[in-house]
């Protein structure tokens, strides 16, 4: 059975040929390198790759990812919370992580004004807008040789770990003190390895490097706060001073990106300075306090990449025994760029996936304060 111009759900009958295959995705009149995976009759694609292909803007939010492009926008909520459409309607929509990629239903494109064509007998799966010139028949004739899968593929079972991730196998990579002059290189590395990370940024540095803040947001990384000054005598002068720094950093983030966050990490970590009086003042305003359980010591060892690498992996391996997810502290600095690819390659090889810290997760901090 052939189905053309399906809007919305790209769901395939159980007996359809393509239901047991991975199909190459067509984008307008060209065949892209994106592979769409059939899961229970719905085709999923790597969200970031599709966004790059269609020039969408991805913005990381505390509760999900905002997707804008085509003629519309929507917000994919975390924890399989569905998608909030432009008119405020929430529709069912699930995502999962596969090989480090956030996989989203191709139907996302339908809500942004694109049409989707599917024909199982022709191995056709195509997303297009008004710029497409080829008919579906002409398209399949043009790419007939490339469209047909070389061999049947067993349907993929989605990996949908319950928050805060698959026990012991989900990494929360975090970077403090940015943005900096080398943030662009850091983001290039993360993009190359297709991993997610959360940035705890300083207000002063955000003002100094606004383009980097906007890129972090646009590319869907996690947005979080580290205060304004990173000066102990100023930040910890009083609970009111600490709150003022977080609020000030949040105002800067909102000015630059249009969004704010509730995720915070205090300078030098929350112990011993961020005592109960500080926490009561700041956390009652809705902020969520995060520390770490893996310290890379990249701030200390700088150019000693071997020392940083071994420090990280030793701590990660100790957490593996207790099935504890690593929350890795690194810094947005030039020295970290040298060792980061090696760490990412090792973690991916060992089967770890990378996720963003979100506001609905139980915070990990030294005080065990769950607010």
């Amino acid at each position: 059975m052939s189905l053309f111009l399906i809007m919305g759900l790209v769901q395939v009958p159980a007996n359809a040929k393509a239901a047991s295959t991975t199909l190459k995705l067509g984008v307008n009149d060209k065949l892209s390198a994106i592979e769409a995976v059939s899961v229970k009759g719905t085709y999923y694609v790597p969200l970031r790759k599709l966004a790059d292909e269609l020039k969408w803007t991805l913005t990381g939010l505390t509760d999900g990812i905002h997707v804008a492009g085509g003629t519309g926008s929507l917000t994919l909520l975390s924890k399989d919370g569905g998608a909030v459409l432009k008119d405020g309607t929430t529709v069912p929509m699930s995502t999962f992580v596969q090989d480090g990629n956030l996989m989203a239903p191709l139907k996302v494109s339908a809500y942004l004004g694109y049409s989707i064509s599917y024909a199982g007998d022709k191995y056709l799966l195509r997303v297009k807008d008004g710029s497409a010139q080829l008919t579906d028949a002409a398209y399949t004739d043009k790419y007939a040789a490339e469209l047909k899968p070389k061999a049947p593929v067993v349907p993929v079972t989605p990996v949908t770990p319950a928050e805060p991730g698959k026990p012991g196998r989900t990494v929360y990579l975090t970077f403090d003190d940015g943005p900096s002059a080398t943030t662009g290189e850091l983001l290039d590395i993360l993009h190359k390895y297709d991993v997610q990370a959360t940035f705890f940024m300083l207000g002063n540095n955000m003002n100094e490097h606004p383009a980097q803040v906007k890129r972090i947001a646009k590319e869907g990384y996690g947005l979080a706060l580290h205060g304004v000054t990173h000066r102990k005598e100023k930040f910890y002068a009083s609970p009111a001073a600490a709150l003022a720094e977080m609020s000030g950093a949040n105002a800067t983030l909102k000015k630059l990106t249009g969004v704010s966050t509730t995720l915070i990490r205090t300078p030098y970590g929350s112990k011993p300075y961020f005592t109960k009086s500080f926490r009561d003042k700041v956390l009652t305003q809705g902020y969520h306090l995060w520390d770490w359980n893996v310290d890379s010591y990249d701030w200390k060892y700088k150019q000693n990449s071997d020392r940083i690498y071994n420090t990280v992996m030793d701590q990660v391996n100790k957490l593996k025994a207790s099935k504890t997810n690593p929350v890795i502290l690194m810094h947005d600095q030039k020295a970290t760029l040298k060792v980061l690819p090696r760490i990412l390659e090792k973690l991916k090889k060992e089967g770890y996936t990378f996720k963003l810290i979100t506001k609905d997760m139980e915070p990990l901090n030294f005080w065990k304060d769950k607010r």
Side-chain angles (χ1 to χ4, degrees), residues 268-299:
Y268 309 102
S270 66
K271 272 194 176 181
Y273 307 110
F274 207 58
T275 56
K276 188 175 185 301
S277 61
F278 281 84
R279 300 197 308 277
D280 286 347
K281 182 71 171 180
V282 177
L283 302 188
T284 53
Q285 299 303 307
Y287 289 109
H288 306 292
L289 176 65
W290 280 82
D291 286 307
W292 57 86
N293 55 22
V294 174
D295 190 342
S296 68
Y297 286 94
D298 58 347
W299 56 272

PDB file of all heavy atoms in Angstrom, residues 268-299:
ATOM      1  N   TYR A 268      32.790  27.704  43.241  1.00  0.00           N
ATOM      2  CA  TYR A 268      33.583  26.789  44.066  1.00  0.00           C
ATOM      3  C   TYR A 268      32.760  25.645  44.655  1.00  0.00           C
ATOM      4  O   TYR A 268      33.229  24.928  45.535  1.00  0.00           O
ATOM      5  CB  TYR A 268      34.301  27.542  45.202  1.00  0.00           C
ATOM      6  CG  TYR A 268      35.078  28.734  44.712  1.00  0.00           C
ATOM      7  CD1 TYR A 268      34.568  30.014  44.867  1.00  0.00           C
ATOM      8  CD2 TYR A 268      36.302  28.571  44.059  1.00  0.00           C
ATOM      9  CE1 TYR A 268      35.273  31.124  44.392  1.00  0.00           C
ATOM     10  CE2 TYR A 268      36.997  29.675  43.572  1.00  0.00           C
ATOM     11  CZ  TYR A 268      36.476  30.942  43.736  1.00  0.00           C
ATOM     12  OH  TYR A 268      37.166  32.024  43.263  1.00  0.00           O
ATOM     13  N   GLY A 269      31.532  25.468  44.176  1.00  0.00           N
ATOM     14  CA  GLY A 269      30.681  24.419  44.723  1.00  0.00           C
ATOM     15  C   GLY A 269      29.937  24.906  45.948  1.00  0.00           C
ATOM     16  O   GLY A 269      30.281  25.928  46.558  1.00  0.00           O
ATOM     17  N   SER A 270      28.902  24.172  46.320  1.00  0.00           N
ATOM     18  CA  SER A 270      28.008  24.666  47.375  1.00  0.00           C
ATOM     19  C   SER A 270      28.552  24.482  48.787  1.00  0.00           C
ATOM     20  O   SER A 270      28.081  25.142  49.711  1.00  0.00           O
ATOM     21  CB  SER A 270      26.640  23.989  47.264  1.00  0.00           C
ATOM     22  OG  SER A 270      26.730  22.601  47.525  1.00  0.00           O
ATOM     23  N   LYS A 271      29.521  23.577  48.977  1.00  0.00           N
ATOM     24  CA  LYS A 271      30.121  23.416  50.313  1.00  0.00           C
ATOM     25  C   LYS A 271      31.514  24.017  50.315  1.00  0.00           C
ATOM     26  O   LYS A 271      32.265  23.840  49.345  1.00  0.00           O
ATOM     27  CB  LYS A 271      30.174  21.931  50.688  1.00  0.00           C
ATOM     28  CG  LYS A 271      28.908  21.431  51.375  1.00  0.00           C
ATOM     29  CD  LYS A 271      29.144  20.071  52.033  1.00  0.00           C
ATOM     30  CE  LYS A 271      27.901  19.645  52.806  1.00  0.00           C
ATOM     31  NZ  LYS A 271      28.083  18.349  53.487  1.00  0.00           N
ATOM     32  N   PRO A 272      31.845  24.718  51.399  1.00  0.00           N
ATOM     33  CA  PRO A 272      31.099  24.877  52.651  1.00  0.00           C
ATOM     34  C   PRO A 272      30.273  26.160  52.735  1.00  0.00           C
ATOM     35  O   PRO A 272      29.567  26.381  53.710  1.00  0.00           O
ATOM     36  CB  PRO A 272      32.220  24.929  53.688  1.00  0.00           C
ATOM     37  CG  PRO A 272      33.329  25.654  52.972  1.00  0.00           C
ATOM     38  CD  PRO A 272      33.232  25.203  51.530  1.00  0.00           C
ATOM     39  N   TYR A 273      30.373  27.019  51.709  1.00  0.00           N
ATOM     40  CA  TYR A 273      29.876  28.394  51.871  1.00  0.00           C
ATOM     41  C   TYR A 273      28.369  28.553  51.731  1.00  0.00           C
ATOM     42  O   TYR A 273      27.780  29.443  52.341  1.00  0.00           O
ATOM     43  CB  TYR A 273      30.569  29.311  50.862  1.00  0.00           C
ATOM     44  CG  TYR A 273      32.068  29.245  50.893  1.00  0.00           C
ATOM     45  CD1 TYR A 273      32.772  28.660  49.838  1.00  0.00           C
ATOM     46  CD2 TYR A 273      32.783  29.744  51.975  1.00  0.00           C
ATOM     47  CE1 TYR A 273      34.161  28.595  49.855  1.00  0.00           C
ATOM     48  CE2 TYR A 273      34.162  29.677  52.003  1.00  0.00           C
ATOM     49  CZ  TYR A 273      34.846  29.096  50.951  1.00  0.00           C
ATOM     50  OH  TYR A 273      36.212  29.022  50.981  1.00  0.00           O
ATOM     51  N   PHE A 274      27.732  27.711  50.897  1.00  0.00           N
ATOM     52  CA  PHE A 274      26.317  27.911  50.590  1.00  0.00           C
ATOM     53  C   PHE A 274      25.462  27.216  51.653  1.00  0.00           C
ATOM     54  O   PHE A 274      24.798  26.205  51.402  1.00  0.00           O
ATOM     55  CB  PHE A 274      26.012  27.362  49.193  1.00  0.00           C
ATOM     56  CG  PHE A 274      24.854  28.037  48.504  1.00  0.00           C
ATOM     57  CD1 PHE A 274      24.840  29.401  48.276  1.00  0.00           C
ATOM     58  CD2 PHE A 274      23.769  27.289  48.065  1.00  0.00           C
ATOM     59  CE1 PHE A 274      23.778  30.013  47.631  1.00  0.00           C
ATOM     60  CE2 PHE A 274      22.704  27.890  47.414  1.00  0.00           C
ATOM     61  CZ  PHE A 274      22.709  29.253  47.194  1.00  0.00           C
ATOM     62  N   THR A 275      25.486  27.779  52.841  1.00  0.00           N
ATOM     63  CA  THR A 275      24.838  27.181  54.004  1.00  0.00           C
ATOM     64  C   THR A 275      23.320  27.319  53.922  1.00  0.00           C
ATOM     65  O   THR A 275      22.780  27.869  52.973  1.00  0.00           O
ATOM     66  CB  THR A 275      25.348  27.853  55.283  1.00  0.00           C
ATOM     67  OG1 THR A 275      25.112  29.264  55.180  1.00  0.00           O
ATOM     68  CG2 THR A 275      26.837  27.602  55.467  1.00  0.00           C
ATOM     69  N   LYS A 276      22.639  26.831  54.962  1.00  0.00           N
ATOM     70  CA  LYS A 276      21.180  26.779  54.931  1.00  0.00           C
ATOM     71  C   LYS A 276      20.552  28.158  54.738  1.00  0.00           C
ATOM     72  O   LYS A 276      19.566  28.315  54.019  1.00  0.00           O
ATOM     73  CB  LYS A 276      20.631  26.146  56.207  1.00  0.00           C
ATOM     74  CG  LYS A 276      19.128  25.890  56.166  1.00  0.00           C
ATOM     75  CD  LYS A 276      18.664  25.150  57.409  1.00  0.00           C
ATOM     76  CE  LYS A 276      17.187  24.788  57.298  1.00  0.00           C
ATOM     77  NZ  LYS A 276      16.304  25.961  57.119  1.00  0.00           N
ATOM     78  N   SER A 277      21.119  29.163  55.362  1.00  0.00           N
ATOM     79  CA  SER A 277      20.536  30.496  55.222  1.00  0.00           C
ATOM     80  C   SER A 277      20.628  30.976  53.765  1.00  0.00           C
ATOM     81  O   SER A 277      19.702  31.629  53.260  1.00  0.00           O
ATOM     82  CB  SER A 277      21.240  31.494  56.150  1.00  0.00           C
ATOM     83  OG  SER A 277      22.616  31.609  55.835  1.00  0.00           O
ATOM     84  N   PHE A 278      21.724  30.638  53.098  1.00  0.00           N
ATOM     85  CA  PHE A 278      21.863  30.978  51.673  1.00  0.00           C
ATOM     86  C   PHE A 278      20.866  30.188  50.839  1.00  0.00           C
ATOM     87  O   PHE A 278      20.192  30.732  49.958  1.00  0.00           O
ATOM     88  CB  PHE A 278      23.287  30.683  51.192  1.00  0.00           C
ATOM     89  CG  PHE A 278      24.295  31.719  51.571  1.00  0.00           C
ATOM     90  CD1 PHE A 278      24.908  31.696  52.819  1.00  0.00           C
ATOM     91  CD2 PHE A 278      24.642  32.723  50.679  1.00  0.00           C
ATOM     92  CE1 PHE A 278      25.850  32.646  53.170  1.00  0.00           C
ATOM     93  CE2 PHE A 278      25.583  33.688  51.017  1.00  0.00           C
ATOM     94  CZ  PHE A 278      26.183  33.656  52.275  1.00  0.00           C
ATOM     95  N   ARG A 279      20.789  28.880  51.117  1.00  0.00           N
ATOM     96  CA  ARG A 279      19.895  28.027  50.324  1.00  0.00           C
ATOM     97  C   ARG A 279      18.442  28.440  50.515  1.00  0.00           C
ATOM     98  O   ARG A 279      17.656  28.449  49.552  1.00  0.00           O
ATOM     99  CB  ARG A 279      20.099  26.552  50.676  1.00  0.00           C
ATOM    100  CG  ARG A 279      21.521  26.062  50.409  1.00  0.00           C
ATOM    101  CD  ARG A 279      21.648  24.559  50.345  1.00  0.00           C
ATOM    102  NE  ARG A 279      21.083  23.882  51.499  1.00  0.00           N
ATOM    103  CZ  ARG A 279      21.699  23.706  52.662  1.00  0.00           C
ATOM    104  NH1 ARG A 279      22.923  24.197  52.831  1.00  0.00           N
ATOM    105  NH2 ARG A 279      21.123  23.062  53.656  1.00  0.00           N
ATOM    106  N   ASP A 280      18.083  28.769  51.749  1.00  0.00           N
ATOM    107  CA  ASP A 280      16.694  29.184  51.999  1.00  0.00           C
ATOM    108  C   ASP A 280      16.359  30.459  51.245  1.00  0.00           C
ATOM    109  O   ASP A 280      15.243  30.639  50.747  1.00  0.00           O
ATOM    110  CB  ASP A 280      16.470  29.383  53.500  1.00  0.00           C
ATOM    111  CG  ASP A 280      16.396  28.073  54.263  1.00  0.00           C
ATOM    112  OD1 ASP A 280      16.266  27.022  53.604  1.00  0.00           O
ATOM    113  OD2 ASP A 280      16.481  28.103  55.505  1.00  0.00           O
ATOM    114  N   LYS A 281      17.325  31.345  51.134  1.00  0.00           N
ATOM    115  CA  LYS A 281      17.094  32.620  50.437  1.00  0.00           C
ATOM    116  C   LYS A 281      16.979  32.407  48.927  1.00  0.00           C
ATOM    117  O   LYS A 281      16.087  32.980  48.274  1.00  0.00           O
ATOM    118  CB  LYS A 281      18.252  33.573  50.736  1.00  0.00           C
ATOM    119  CG  LYS A 281      18.110  34.966  50.098  1.00  0.00           C
ATOM    120  CD  LYS A 281      17.024  35.779  50.783  1.00  0.00           C
ATOM    121  CE  LYS A 281      17.017  37.212  50.303  1.00  0.00           C
ATOM    122  NZ  LYS A 281      15.969  38.014  50.968  1.00  0.00           N
ATOM    123  N   VAL A 282      17.845  31.568  48.363  1.00  0.00           N
ATOM    124  CA  VAL A 282      17.923  31.430  46.906  1.00  0.00           C
ATOM    125  C   VAL A 282      16.962  30.373  46.373  1.00  0.00           C
ATOM    126  O   VAL A 282      16.234  30.614  45.394  1.00  0.00           O
ATOM    127  CB  VAL A 282      19.373  31.107  46.483  1.00  0.00           C
ATOM    128  CG1 VAL A 282      19.454  30.885  44.969  1.00  0.00           C
ATOM    129  CG2 VAL A 282      20.317  32.236  46.908  1.00  0.00           C
ATOM    130  N   LEU A 283      16.928  29.222  47.012  1.00  0.00           N
ATOM    131  CA  LEU A 283      16.142  28.112  46.461  1.00  0.00           C
ATOM    132  C   LEU A 283      14.642  28.334  46.605  1.00  0.00           C
ATOM    133  O   LEU A 283      13.854  27.779  45.842  1.00  0.00           O
ATOM    134  CB  LEU A 283      16.549  26.790  47.112  1.00  0.00           C
ATOM    135  CG  LEU A 283      18.026  26.413  46.960  1.00  0.00           C
ATOM    136  CD1 LEU A 283      18.283  25.007  47.473  1.00  0.00           C
ATOM    137  CD2 LEU A 283      18.494  26.540  45.510  1.00  0.00           C
ATOM    138  N   THR A 284      14.244  29.149  47.571  1.00  0.00           N
ATOM    139  CA  THR A 284      12.811  29.448  47.702  1.00  0.00           C
ATOM    140  C   THR A 284      12.312  30.318  46.549  1.00  0.00           C
ATOM    141  O   THR A 284      11.098  30.495  46.377  1.00  0.00           O
ATOM    142  CB  THR A 284      12.511  30.149  49.040  1.00  0.00           C
ATOM    143  OG1 THR A 284      13.358  31.298  49.175  1.00  0.00           O
ATOM    144  CG2 THR A 284      12.740  29.200  50.207  1.00  0.00           C
ATOM    145  N   GLN A 285      13.236  30.854  45.759  1.00  0.00           N
ATOM    146  CA  GLN A 285      12.850  31.632  44.572  1.00  0.00           C
ATOM    147  C   GLN A 285      12.693  30.753  43.333  1.00  0.00           C
ATOM    148  O   GLN A 285      12.526  31.257  42.227  1.00  0.00           O
ATOM    149  CB  GLN A 285      13.901  32.718  44.307  1.00  0.00           C
ATOM    150  CG  GLN A 285      14.061  33.710  45.443  1.00  0.00           C
ATOM    151  CD  GLN A 285      12.747  34.404  45.786  1.00  0.00           C
ATOM    152  OE1 GLN A 285      12.086  34.958  44.913  1.00  0.00           O
ATOM    153  NE2 GLN A 285      12.371  34.362  47.065  1.00  0.00           N
ATOM    154  N   GLY A 286      12.761  29.425  43.550  1.00  0.00           N
ATOM    155  CA  GLY A 286      12.529  28.505  42.443  1.00  0.00           C
ATOM    156  C   GLY A 286      13.774  27.953  41.792  1.00  0.00           C
ATOM    157  O   GLY A 286      13.692  27.172  40.837  1.00  0.00           O
ATOM    158  N   TYR A 287      14.951  28.315  42.291  1.00  0.00           N
ATOM    159  CA  TYR A 287      16.192  27.810  41.715  1.00  0.00           C
ATOM    160  C   TYR A 287      16.483  26.388  42.201  1.00  0.00           C
ATOM    161  O   TYR A 287      16.050  25.988  43.287  1.00  0.00           O
ATOM    162  CB  TYR A 287      17.364  28.730  42.084  1.00  0.00           C
ATOM    163  CG  TYR A 287      17.329  30.061  41.364  1.00  0.00           C
ATOM    164  CD1 TYR A 287      17.035  31.239  42.056  1.00  0.00           C
ATOM    165  CD2 TYR A 287      17.576  30.140  40.001  1.00  0.00           C
ATOM    166  CE1 TYR A 287      17.006  32.466  41.402  1.00  0.00           C
ATOM    167  CE2 TYR A 287      17.538  31.365  39.340  1.00  0.00           C
ATOM    168  CZ  TYR A 287      17.261  32.514  40.035  1.00  0.00           C
ATOM    169  OH  TYR A 287      17.214  33.723  39.385  1.00  0.00           O
ATOM    170  N   HIS A 288      17.221  25.642  41.384  1.00  0.00           N
ATOM    171  CA  HIS A 288      17.608  24.266  41.709  1.00  0.00           C
ATOM    172  C   HIS A 288      19.130  24.181  41.729  1.00  0.00           C
ATOM    173  O   HIS A 288      19.789  24.535  40.747  1.00  0.00           O
ATOM    174  CB  HIS A 288      17.037  23.287  40.684  1.00  0.00           C
ATOM    175  CG  HIS A 288      15.552  23.416  40.500  1.00  0.00           C
ATOM    176  ND1 HIS A 288      14.645  23.077  41.481  1.00  0.00           N
ATOM    177  CD2 HIS A 288      14.816  23.865  39.455  1.00  0.00           C
ATOM    178  CE1 HIS A 288      13.415  23.300  41.043  1.00  0.00           C
ATOM    179  NE2 HIS A 288      13.500  23.787  39.819  1.00  0.00           N
ATOM    180  N   LEU A 289      19.671  23.706  42.843  1.00  0.00           N
ATOM    181  CA  LEU A 289      21.111  23.734  43.094  1.00  0.00           C
ATOM    182  C   LEU A 289      21.787  22.447  42.618  1.00  0.00           C
ATOM    183  O   LEU A 289      21.409  21.347  43.030  1.00  0.00           O
ATOM    184  CB  LEU A 289      21.359  23.929  44.593  1.00  0.00           C
ATOM    185  CG  LEU A 289      22.806  23.881  45.060  1.00  0.00           C
ATOM    186  CD1 LEU A 289      23.605  25.048  44.472  1.00  0.00           C
ATOM    187  CD2 LEU A 289      22.858  23.896  46.598  1.00  0.00           C
ATOM    188  N   TRP A 290      22.828  22.610  41.788  1.00  0.00           N
ATOM    189  CA  TRP A 290      23.570  21.460  41.256  1.00  0.00           C
ATOM    190  C   TRP A 290      25.062  21.589  41.569  1.00  0.00           C
ATOM    191  O   TRP A 290      25.648  22.651  41.387  1.00  0.00           O
ATOM    192  CB  TRP A 290      23.388  21.365  39.744  1.00  0.00           C
ATOM    193  CG  TRP A 290      22.074  20.732  39.372  1.00  0.00           C
ATOM    194  CD1 TRP A 290      20.859  21.348  39.306  1.00  0.00           C
ATOM    195  CD2 TRP A 290      21.856  19.359  39.065  1.00  0.00           C
ATOM    196  NE1 TRP A 290      19.888  20.442  38.967  1.00  0.00           N
ATOM    197  CE2 TRP A 290      20.467  19.208  38.803  1.00  0.00           C
ATOM    198  CE3 TRP A 290      22.678  18.250  38.967  1.00  0.00           C
ATOM    199  CZ2 TRP A 290      19.907  17.983  38.462  1.00  0.00           C
ATOM    200  CZ3 TRP A 290      22.121  17.026  38.624  1.00  0.00           C
ATOM    201  CH2 TRP A 290      20.748  16.899  38.378  1.00  0.00           C
ATOM    202  N   ASP A 291      25.643  20.479  42.050  1.00  0.00           N
ATOM    203  CA  ASP A 291      27.094  20.371  42.152  1.00  0.00           C
ATOM    204  C   ASP A 291      27.549  19.319  41.140  1.00  0.00           C
ATOM    205  O   ASP A 291      27.135  19.360  39.997  1.00  0.00           O
ATOM    206  CB  ASP A 291      27.508  20.015  43.584  1.00  0.00           C
ATOM    207  CG  ASP A 291      27.363  21.202  44.532  1.00  0.00           C
ATOM    208  OD1 ASP A 291      27.917  22.269  44.225  1.00  0.00           O
ATOM    209  OD2 ASP A 291      26.700  21.052  45.582  1.00  0.00           O
ATOM    210  N   TRP A 292      28.331  18.351  41.556  1.00  0.00           N
ATOM    211  CA  TRP A 292      28.861  17.330  40.642  1.00  0.00           C
ATOM    212  C   TRP A 292      29.300  16.121  41.447  1.00  0.00           C
ATOM    213  O   TRP A 292      29.436  16.172  42.678  1.00  0.00           O
ATOM    214  CB  TRP A 292      30.052  17.900  39.854  1.00  0.00           C
ATOM    215  CG  TRP A 292      31.153  18.401  40.746  1.00  0.00           C
ATOM    216  CD1 TRP A 292      32.173  17.693  41.291  1.00  0.00           C
ATOM    217  CD2 TRP A 292      31.297  19.751  41.245  1.00  0.00           C
ATOM    218  NE1 TRP A 292      32.947  18.494  42.084  1.00  0.00           N
ATOM    219  CE2 TRP A 292      32.450  19.752  42.066  1.00  0.00           C
ATOM    220  CE3 TRP A 292      30.594  20.938  41.050  1.00  0.00           C
ATOM    221  CZ2 TRP A 292      32.894  20.908  42.708  1.00  0.00           C
ATOM    222  CZ3 TRP A 292      31.036  22.081  41.688  1.00  0.00           C
ATOM    223  CH2 TRP A 292      32.168  22.066  42.514  1.00  0.00           C
ATOM    224  N   ASN A 293      29.533  15.003  40.784  1.00  0.00           N
ATOM    225  CA  ASN A 293      30.121  13.828  41.447  1.00  0.00           C
ATOM    226  C   ASN A 293      31.381  13.350  40.732  1.00  0.00           C
ATOM    227  O   ASN A 293      31.979  12.348  41.131  1.00  0.00           O
ATOM    228  CB  ASN A 293      29.104  12.683  41.608  1.00  0.00           C
ATOM    229  CG  ASN A 293      28.465  12.274  40.296  1.00  0.00           C
ATOM    230  OD1 ASN A 293      29.011  12.509  39.219  1.00  0.00           O
ATOM    231  ND2 ASN A 293      27.289  11.652  40.381  1.00  0.00           N
ATOM    232  N   VAL A 294      31.766  14.044  39.661  1.00  0.00           N
ATOM    233  CA  VAL A 294      33.036  13.788  38.981  1.00  0.00           C
ATOM    234  C   VAL A 294      33.698  15.144  38.735  1.00  0.00           C
ATOM    235  O   VAL A 294      33.172  15.976  37.999  1.00  0.00           O
ATOM    236  CB  VAL A 294      32.844  13.049  37.636  1.00  0.00           C
ATOM    237  CG1 VAL A 294      34.185  12.934  36.902  1.00  0.00           C
ATOM    238  CG2 VAL A 294      32.232  11.672  37.854  1.00  0.00           C
ATOM    239  N   ASP A 295      34.840  15.359  39.367  1.00  0.00           N
ATOM    240  CA  ASP A 295      35.590  16.613  39.181  1.00  0.00           C
ATOM    241  C   ASP A 295      36.787  16.319  38.273  1.00  0.00           C
ATOM    242  O   ASP A 295      37.666  15.531  38.625  1.00  0.00           O
ATOM    243  CB  ASP A 295      36.077  17.139  40.533  1.00  0.00           C
ATOM    244  CG  ASP A 295      36.645  18.552  40.440  1.00  0.00           C
ATOM    245  OD1 ASP A 295      36.982  18.985  39.315  1.00  0.00           O
ATOM    246  OD2 ASP A 295      36.768  19.213  41.484  1.00  0.00           O
ATOM    247  N   SER A 296      36.796  16.931  37.105  1.00  0.00           N
ATOM    248  CA  SER A 296      37.879  16.678  36.151  1.00  0.00           C
ATOM    249  C   SER A 296      39.207  17.288  36.587  1.00  0.00           C
ATOM    250  O   SER A 296      40.268  16.885  36.108  1.00  0.00           O
ATOM    251  CB  SER A 296      37.505  17.252  34.784  1.00  0.00           C
ATOM    252  OG  SER A 296      37.464  18.665  34.840  1.00  0.00           O
ATOM    253  N   TYR A 297      39.137  18.270  37.467  1.00  0.00           N
ATOM    254  CA  TYR A 297      40.320  19.037  37.895  1.00  0.00           C
ATOM    255  C   TYR A 297      41.028  19.670  36.697  1.00  0.00           C
ATOM    256  O   TYR A 297      42.239  19.927  36.752  1.00  0.00           O
ATOM    257  CB  TYR A 297      41.289  18.164  38.702  1.00  0.00           C
ATOM    258  CG  TYR A 297      40.794  17.879  40.104  1.00  0.00           C
ATOM    259  CD1 TYR A 297      40.078  16.722  40.383  1.00  0.00           C
ATOM    260  CD2 TYR A 297      41.015  18.780  41.142  1.00  0.00           C
ATOM    261  CE1 TYR A 297      39.594  16.453  41.653  1.00  0.00           C
ATOM    262  CE2 TYR A 297      40.547  18.529  42.423  1.00  0.00           C
ATOM    263  CZ  TYR A 297      39.830  17.364  42.663  1.00  0.00           C
ATOM    264  OH  TYR A 297      39.365  17.108  43.933  1.00  0.00           O
ATOM    265  N   ASP A 298      40.264  19.947  35.635  1.00  0.00           N
ATOM    266  CA  ASP A 298      40.879  20.607  34.483  1.00  0.00           C
ATOM    267  C   ASP A 298      41.336  22.016  34.831  1.00  0.00           C
ATOM    268  O   ASP A 298      42.245  22.564  34.211  1.00  0.00           O
ATOM    269  CB  ASP A 298      39.924  20.626  33.288  1.00  0.00           C
ATOM    270  CG  ASP A 298      38.597  21.323  33.581  1.00  0.00           C
ATOM    271  OD1 ASP A 298      38.296  21.580  34.771  1.00  0.00           O
ATOM    272  OD2 ASP A 298      37.844  21.577  32.625  1.00  0.00           O
ATOM    273  N   TRP A 299      40.705  22.604  35.852  1.00  0.00           N
ATOM    274  CA  TRP A 299      41.113  23.927  36.321  1.00  0.00           C
ATOM    275  C   TRP A 299      42.480  23.872  37.002  1.00  0.00           C
ATOM    276  O   TRP A 299      43.203  24.865  37.054  1.00  0.00           O
ATOM    277  CB  TRP A 299      40.093  24.478  37.308  1.00  0.00           C
ATOM    278  CG  TRP A 299      39.852  23.570  38.489  1.00  0.00           C
ATOM    279  CD1 TRP A 299      38.945  22.546  38.569  1.00  0.00           C
ATOM    280  CD2 TRP A 299      40.553  23.575  39.740  1.00  0.00           C
ATOM    281  NE1 TRP A 299      39.033  21.918  39.797  1.00  0.00           N
ATOM    282  CE2 TRP A 299      40.013  22.532  40.539  1.00  0.00           C
ATOM    283  CE3 TRP A 299      41.582  24.361  40.275  1.00  0.00           C
ATOM    284  CZ2 TRP A 299      40.465  22.249  41.821  1.00  0.00           C
ATOM    285  CZ3 TRP A 299      42.036  24.079  41.561  1.00  0.00           C
ATOM    286  CH2 TRP A 299      41.469  23.033  42.320  1.00  0.00           C
TER     287      TRP A 299
END
